[in-house]
Amino acid sequence: MAKDASNGQNHVTTKPPPEPSPLRKAKFFQANMRILVTGGAGFIGSHLVDKLMQNEKNEVIVVDNYFTGSKDNLSQWIGHPRFELKRHDITEPLLIEVDQIYHLACPASPIFYKYNPVKTIKTNVIGTLNMLGLAKRVGARILLTSTSEVYGDPLVHPQDETYWGNVNPIGVRSCYDEGKRVAETLMFDYHRQHGIEIRIARIFNTYGPRMNIDDGRVVSNFIAQAIRDEPLTVQLPGTQTRSFCYVSDMVDGLIRLMEGDNAGPINIGNPGEFTMLELAETVKEMINPAVKIITVENTPDDPRQRKPDITKAKELLGWEPKVKLRDGLPLMEDDFRKRIGIPRK
Ligand SMILES: NC(=O)c1ccc[n+]([C@@H]2O[C@H](COP(=O)([O-])OP(=O)(O)OC[C@H]3O[C@@H](n4cnc5c(N)ncnc54)[C@H](O)[C@@H]3O)[C@@H](O)[C@H]2O)c1
Ligand SMILES: O=c1ccn([C@@H]2O[C@H](COP(=O)(O)OP(=O)(O)O[C@H]3OC[C@@H](O)[C@H](O)[C@H]3O)[C@@H](O)[C@H]2O)c(=O)[nH]1
């Protein structure tokens, strides 16, 4: 019998997960912790790799198919003796030996996850099954980066982890929302049935340097538009809200969750809530007061409100975000100006 880390219940498991390779306990073994990051060439993944690599006891392996990620995000680590980068699509099985798996691989921007919805589902379902199979085979702990989108267009505000959500199962966002919901289900079933150690983070909108300039998400769009003197495109009605977390806070939360004792799911996000019109006004004021703000059509099923209740993260992880939106935006502006090639006037 294995104990369910989330609620203390006992469940029958088929057999306990295996011990890691005996070599890992050998006297001359160099690294103490071998960590796999799926999707590590992406936005959050590459910042997570930076942080993990700062610990000299970690050896980090990234697998990525470069759909929305790039080797450029990891250029500082390529060739480092404790780092390995492998082109791999997680919808195919992966046979390696690791102690921990941060499972991030999945396109996150609505434009990209809707581009090939069947592939997005496969990545979430088959990809997560493959990573759980790997975790089971080698006895690794696995963390899934789930999303606030599991709450859909929430009828409860702010959202805490007990809320089951309001999700359209057949809409254009479902490949992602429902994909992540199934991924969460798979995580808990592997935990209950096979005793796998799981962690689930429900990430709320995250922003920062290294986001793709043409990523399509709202913060990257507004910053790139402001720098290029293009109108800021607020999708109607503009009163919809989001809560934006700076990437360094997010990475800190993910590592605390992985290292802690709680399976989750745990919301990780910044509770500061803004309408999209307020966000546009803030970007305009801070980056380019001369720029216009225009309204444009929205896409179907856009959630009308979103704000995390982070009581659980505070109590169980001792985590809360430190970087306010007005402090994070200039850091992202610096990075975007460098990459777009337009310096501050
Ligand atoms: N950024 C956010 O606001 C946010 C919010 C909620 C959840 N998340 C989750 O966090 C994770 C990372 O998000 P991000 O913002 O860094 O996105 P991102 O698109 O920058 O990174 C995703 C990475 O996964 C890779 N990838 C996609 N499909 C793959 C596949 N089949 N096989 C291998 N690699 C694949 C991409 O190439 C990319 O490098 C995702 O799981 C996302 O759902 C992000
Ligand atoms: O140019 C734009 C882009 C977007 N928006 C609006 O900004 C809001 C946020 O849109 P984004 O595309 O940045 O992100 P969303 O909140 O819809 O989804 C996001 O949140 C959860 C994560 O799992 C996903 O990775 C991420 O896509 C939406 O209301 C959208 O209509 C604009 O007003 N203008």
Side-chain angles (χ1 to χ4, degrees), residues 37-47 62-71 73-74 86-92 103-109 112-113 119-120 122-124 127 131 144-149 176 180 201-207 210-212 215 217 243-245 247 250 254 268 306:
V37 181
T38 76
F43 160 53
I44 299 178
S46 62
H47 285 278
V62 165
V63 297
D64 203 296
N65 69 353
Y66 308 124
F67 175 48
T68 52
S70 162
K71 282 183 201 168
N73 291 335
L74 297 167
K86 191 174 157 72
R87 178 188 288 268
H88 176 81
D89 194 305
I90 55 149
T91 58
E92 301 294 333
H103 175 33
L104 281 75
C106 177
S109 166
F112 287 93
Y113 70 62
K119 180 65 194 247
T120 301
K122 282 186 182 171
T123 296
N124 277 316
M131 292 310 110
L144 169 74
T145 51
S146 183
T147 167
S148 52
E149 293 221 20
Y176 184 77
K180 289 282 187 182
R202 289 191 179 148
I203 297 183
F204 283 63
N205 297 58
T206 302
Y207 71 100
R210 291 198 198 136
M211 284 184 94
N212 283 323
D215 178 272
R217 284 181 272 188
S243 305
F244 299 102
C245 185
V247 66
M250 179 54 55
L254 294 177
I268 312 226
R306 188 182 286 161

